[in-house]
Amino acid sequence: MMNRIRGFVQEIHRRSLWQVLGIFLAASWGVLQVVQAVTDSIGLPDWTPGMAFVLLLLGLPVVLATAFLQAESVAPADVTAPAHHTGASSTATAPEPVAETARSDIPEPAWTETSPPRLPTHLFTWKNAVMGGIGAFALLGFSLIAYFVMWSTGIGPVGNLVAQGVFEEGDAVLLADFSNTTTDASLAEVVTEALRVDLGTAATITLVPEGSVSEILGLMDRDASQPVQGNVADEVAARGGFSAIIEGEVGSAGSGYILTASLRSTDGGEPLATFRRTASNEGEVIAAIDGLSQDIRERVGESLRSIRAGEPLAEVTTSSLPALRLFTEAETVRQSGDELRAIDLLEQALDIDPEFAMAWRDLSVSRRNVGYRDDETRRAATRAYELSSRLTDEERNLAVAYYHQVVTGDIFAEIRAYEILLDAYPDQPSGLNNLANAYSVLTRWEDATALLDRAVTGPGRSGPAHVNRVLYTAFSGDFDAGHSALADLQTYAPEGELWNAWGGFVLGLASWDGPLAEERALALRSVPDGPSWRHAGTRAAALAQGITGQIGAAREGMAGAVLEAERGGDPDGVVEAYVGWALMEALMADSDPRPVLSELFERDAIRAVDPAARSNFVWIPLIASFGFIPEAQALLREWEESASEEQSAGIEQVRQAVAAFELGGADPLAGAQALETLRASLQCDRCWMWEVGSLYEEAGRVDDAIAERERSLEVGQDFWFGLHRLAANLSLGRLYERKGDVEQALEHYTVYAQQMADGGEVPAVIEARERIATLQRGRLTR
């Protein structure tokens, strides 16, 4: 037996089968590498490399058999019979015959020219082997073509749902909370959260934001922290008008896990598609979630090339399941309002994985929400920005925009980041709302409102989008649209007391609807969100009284707001109360605001607020505009000393504004021109309209002043639009009277006096009424 084996091995060596095997394996490895690369680059199905491997495996014995038999067909000279020569010249002699009986103990040679072939060598030829290989890979190509035809046209079990017409590309899909049958209580939450991140990058579906789900649960009188599963998921989807639901389960399989999911329409019936992935241990769970997400996206109708263009889930979140658990728990407690607990959990997650970029971004947001020192907020936002390559495209642009918002103050970089985000994800809720907010900083109310219109009519809607839509339509001067937006807000969130109170107050103030403004201001005072809204509501009520001329009551209200903010330990609220009071004096009553601001500085109230946390962009220019130049410059220096280098651009803008007001104190015309230059450089055409108009009026440039005042009637430059409208009418009465345009002067004096009908003791109201009487007598005399 050993002799036979040894002989067989010798034959393999003699026929060079080792070389053939080596060449085949090397070529196969190269082919598989090419197939894998092509699969990844152009988006072939996952089974493509596996099928190629099976075809190569099947071809291996064929190649070896062909090499073995083809070596036989070319017989070596030392094993063939000698040639027999004929003719006279032949000198060869025939071998001596050997008796057959004498050689019977010697086996017949195994391989001779006359031995019949043991295998059909005419089939196992190199030509046939090559043609077989070509045919095998032609089969692979045909399988791929058949798959893509069926997938793209919706035929059979592999057909995508968009092509089948049962799903519309971009439809809003509710991701229900996965159920859990394992002994790991938190695993289902982790799977749901990770799947949410990965599906958030999908091109064919729009995942319903968690915030929208929480708001709908609130409208259903359900706890926002309860699992959204089964009938609850059905009701949420029905109320939200969502197209489909993704639901699933995490189960055990020995020491591993089974992840199953299904996609079903909200009108009931059988699932549209089901999916299954396994993980042999905890370390493979994240990869299994990634695979589950890919399966869902592919079946819905997203191309494999698009899916694979994104980063793996572990790279855009974390490869650590414990860190992902902590992050998921932090997200849950944040939704319940416990930001401090969320901060602790996020910090634990970052101790495990310091490069967990999403955790850094959420940590910055939570720190900012609870009033952490601004440098701590900026540090976390900066770290998320530095790690932005480890985020999905959606999260990356959110992190970049947030970085510019809280760190650099570069409004244009913030806007660019949000615009890039919305180009890729047109219904992203945070992008729509936050870009609208950024546009509002540049007084681009129409652009902001257009974004919010998109938000509230599509899957990107949210409570903040509805509220801001009321505000920005009001600031654009379209009060009818503002009331329509308020009605939409009330329909969307009928029990959203805070939202409805704030939106209604701002609209009432801007449109001079005193009863609406006062009613909603009083509602603000009673919201159960703590003392900050009580003193904010008190300020609001004072302003609501002021726009009808009740200046005495308004002054008492502002003084009360200061006291409430002090009792509530809110130094920022104290400053806001004084700022609102000063503006009320200057704009509503046309009186000197400097005593109010002097009291603010005497009490050193601003110094109680961290310089880095102050509303420096608003407070410092406003203080300078009222002539408190040294105080504004001191605040600017304190800000600069506490700020990071990234904030230098914002600081420079405020410095230029303060310099313009300082210049205007000596030369009003030069000050006005300096402000116009600054607002042009900021691309903020409506910024400082009131202040520029005041400087032109002081400089005697009547026509220029009128132009700015007329614009102040049409559109707002900030939150104080209602107050600017009042003051602009009084100012225009004086300006047109100086020009000798009695009709225009009368019109504007009358508007001011009628709106301030309850201001019989206010000097500016008394003056307006006197001017009306005088001008009317003069007109009759003529």
Side-chain angles (χ1 to χ4, degrees):
M1 182 62 154
M2 291 300 298
N3 289 336
R4 288 180 177 275
I5 294 174
R6 189 177 299 111
F8 181 72
V9 171
Q10 289 174 348
E11 283 297 318
I12 289 176
H13 277 291
R14 185 178 65 79
R15 297 168 185 263
S16 301
L17 293 187
W18 293 123
Q19 291 92 326
V20 172
L21 177 62
I23 293 170
F24 180 85
L25 291 178
S28 297
W29 181 87
V31 168
L32 288 174
Q33 295 304 305
V34 171
V35 170
Q36 185 64 60
V38 172
T39 298
D40 293 337
S41 62
I42 68 173
L44 299 180
D46 285 341
W47 49 260
T48 305
M51 185 172 180
F53 177 78
V54 170
L55 292 174
L56 290 168
L57 195 62
L58 292 174
L60 176 60
V62 174
V63 169
L64 291 178
T66 301
F68 196 86
L69 294 175
Q70 289 304 308
E72 176 186 354
S73 65
V74 184
D78 61 344
V79 295
T80 57
H84 295 276
H85 299 274
T86 59
S89 62
S90 175
T91 59
T93 59
E96 182 180 346
V98 180
E100 185 175 338
T101 54
R103 300 297 301 270
S104 62
D105 60 330
I106 300 175
E108 183 178 336
W111 309 98
T112 66
E113 188 180 53
T114 59
S115 297
R118 305 292 178 88
L119 291 171
T121 55
H122 65 286
L123 293 178
F124 288 89
T125 65
W126 287 119
K127 179 180 179 182
N128 288 347
V130 170
M131 293 304 295
I134 293 173
F137 278 88
L139 175 62
L140 175 61
F142 176 78
S143 300
L144 289 171
I145 292 171
Y147 168 83
F148 280 115
V149 169
M150 295 174 69
W151 178 83
S152 61
T153 58
I155 298 173
V158 301
N160 78 72
L161 300 178
V162 171
Q164 289 175 358
V166 298
F167 193 90
E168 293 291 330
E169 185 171 345
D171 272 357
V173 177
L174 173 66
L175 176 61
D177 293 307
F178 273 48
S179 58
N180 191 6
T181 61
T182 73
T183 57
D184 187 339
S186 66
L187 187 58
E189 272 188 81
V190 174
V191 171
T192 305
E193 182 62 31
L195 190 60
R196 184 182 307 282
V197 172
D198 216 34
L199 288 177
T201 66
T204 50
I205 64 175
T206 301
L207 215 57
V208 178
E210 290 180 276
S212 297
V213 175
S214 297
E215 289 162 16
I216 294 173
L217 288 171
L219 299 178
M220 294 163 55
D221 290 327
R222 292 181 180 271
D223 186 350
S225 64
Q226 77 171 104
V228 178
Q229 299 170 337
N231 293 334
V232 176
D234 290 338
E235 188 174 351
V236 169
R239 282 178 176 263
F242 309 136
S243 299
I245 299 172
I246 296 172
E247 54 193 0
E249 180 182 272
V250 182
S252 298
S255 60
Y257 304 95
I258 300 174
L259 279 58
T260 58
S262 64
L263 175 67
R264 64 179 176 85
S265 64
T266 53
D267 56 5
E270 294 297 315
L272 302 174
T274 57
F275 313 92
R276 183 178 184 274
R277 288 277 179 155
T278 61
S280 59
N281 53 55
E282 275 199 356
E284 294 182 5
V285 168
I286 292 176
I289 299 168
D290 203 1
L292 198 66
S293 172
Q294 174 179 311
D295 294 343
I296 294 170
R297 293 164 66 181
E298 180 185 358
R299 185 62 193 281
V300 169
E302 185 172 355
S303 71
L304 285 169
R305 183 174 186 177
S306 170
I307 295 170
R308 292 189 181 129
E311 297 293 334
L313 180 61
E315 293 185 20
V316 296
T317 54
T318 175
S319 58
S320 167
L321 188 61
L324 189 58
R325 287 182 192 275
L326 290 163
F327 176 82
T328 302
E329 187 179 352
E331 289 294 290
T332 301
V333 300
R334 277 185 70 197
Q335 291 180 24
S336 68
D338 192 351
E339 295 275 12
L340 291 174
R341 174 63 178 153
I343 289 171
D344 179 57
L345 291 166
L346 290 167
E347 288 174 343
Q348 291 181 51
L350 289 166
D351 285 341
I352 297 172
D353 183 359
E355 296 192 343
F356 194 170
M358 288 178 66
W360 280 113
R361 192 177 82 81
D362 282 10
L363 179 62
S364 179
V365 174
S366 289
R367 283 177 170 174
R368 192 181 191 202
N369 288 345
V370 300
Y372 267 56
R373 292 199 318 271
D374 227 37
D375 59 335
E376 294 179 322
T377 297
R378 291 198 300 266
R379 188 180 306 117
T382 300
R383 190 65 183 129
Y385 176 78
E386 292 169 346
L387 294 169
S388 59
S389 62
R390 291 184 54 83
L391 292 168
T392 64
D393 287 342
E394 180 179 356
E395 287 284 336
R396 182 180 305 117
N397 283 293
L398 286 171
V400 170
Y402 184 70
Y403 169 77
H404 289 300
Q405 180 185 351
V406 303
V407 178
T408 70
D410 187 339
I411 187 66
F412 300 109
E414 179 187 351
I415 286 173
R416 281 195 300 274
Y418 282 127
E419 288 176 338
I420 291 170
L421 171 69
L422 291 175
D423 281 344
Y425 306 97
D427 296 313
Q428 213 285 334
S430 295
L432 289 168
N433 185 71
N434 293 353
L435 180 55
N437 289 340
Y439 283 157
S440 78
V441 173
L442 301 179
T443 66
R444 293 170 57 179
W445 311 118
E446 296 83 0
D447 292 335
T449 302
L451 286 172
L452 298 175
D453 286 342
R454 276 171 50 190
V456 302
T457 57
R461 65 180 174 175
S462 63
H466 272 281
V467 177
N468 287 333
R469 184 167 171 248
V470 178
L471 272 54
Y472 300 156
T473 51
F475 297 155
S476 70
D478 190 346
F479 302 131
D480 289 339
H483 282 284
S484 176
L486 182 61
D488 290 341
L489 169 60
Q490 292 169 328
T491 301
Y492 174 76
E495 298 184 21
E497 186 177 357
L498 174 58
W499 293 344
N500 284 293
W502 180 244
F505 163 70
V506 173
L507 175 60
L509 184 67
S511 63
W512 295 345
D513 187 340
L516 174 63
E518 190 165 4
E519 172 199 333
R520 299 304 171 89
L522 294 175
L524 276 176
R525 294 192 61 180
S526 63
V527 296
D529 285 19
S532 62
W533 283 110
R534 282 199 296 275
H535 62 71
T538 302
R539 291 200 311 269
L543 292 170
Q545 291 171 316
I547 60 172
T548 61
Q550 303 174 65
I551 298 299
R555 287 168 177 157
E556 291 179 8
M558 285 298 185
V562 170
L563 292 175
E564 285 196 14
E566 287 178 334
R567 283 196 296 265
D570 184 359
D572 189 82
V574 171
V575 179
E576 290 288 354
Y578 273 114
V579 167
W581 191 351
L583 283 165
M584 184 185 74
E585 294 289 351
L587 299 174
M588 287 182 179
D590 192 38
S591 62
D592 189 355
R594 288 177 295 179
V596 175
L597 290 178
S598 294
E599 184 177 328
L600 170 66
F601 285 109
E602 287 167 8
R603 299 177 69 163
D604 217 22
I606 292 183
R607 295 302 191 286
V609 184
D610 182 348
R614 296 170 186 162
S615 299
N616 291 301
F617 284 100
V618 177
W619 293 354
I620 295 176
L622 186 144
I623 288 167
S625 73
F626 286 134
F628 289 79
I629 301 299
E631 291 82 356
Q633 291 172 335
L635 294 174
L636 182 61
R637 285 194 298 272
E638 291 173 11
W639 180 26
E640 189 169 12
E641 289 168 2
S642 67
S644 62
E645 184 179 347
E646 292 91 344
Q647 291 183 298
S648 58
I651 292 172
E652 181 58 30
Q653 292 169 14
V654 173
R655 180 182 290 110
Q656 290 181 40
V658 172
F661 288 120
E662 182 180 16
L663 180 61
D667 185 346
L669 178 59
Q673 291 171 339
L675 280 178
E676 289 212 71
T677 300
L678 178 56
R679 72 183 180 186
S681 69
L682 295 176
Q683 301 174 35
C684 183
D685 183 54
R686 295 160 177 164
C687 288
W688 298 301
M689 286 190 301
W690 177 258
E691 291 80 5
V692 170
S694 296
L695 288 168
Y696 276 137
E697 187 172 1
E698 189 178 345
R701 297 285 290 267
V702 174
D703 288 337
D704 291 328
I706 287 175
E708 293 295 324
R709 297 301 192 224
E710 292 284 5
R711 290 210 300 158
S712 291
L713 295 181
E714 297 169 358
V715 68
Q717 70 179 51
D718 51 32
F719 169 83
W720 307 99
F721 181 32
L723 279 65
H724 285 132
R725 290 177 64 219
L726 270 173
N729 275 290
L730 179 61
S731 175
L732 284 166
R734 294 167 177 165
L735 289 165
Y736 278 118
E737 189 175 1
R738 287 172 66 179
K739 283 193 71 172
D741 190 335
V742 174
E743 296 301 324
Q744 288 283 358
L746 273 171
E747 178 183 336
H748 290 292
Y749 278 135
T750 300
V751 170
Y752 175 77
Q754 287 178 346
Q755 180 59 36
M756 299 288 284
D758 296 330
E761 302 302 319
V762 179
V765 176
I766 295 171
E767 177 203 344
R769 290 171 180 170
E770 290 175 349
R771 295 313 306 155
I772 291 169
T774 300
L775 291 172
Q776 286 176 337
R777 284 196 300 270
R779 185 171 58 181
L780 290 173
T781 301
R782 289 198 304 272

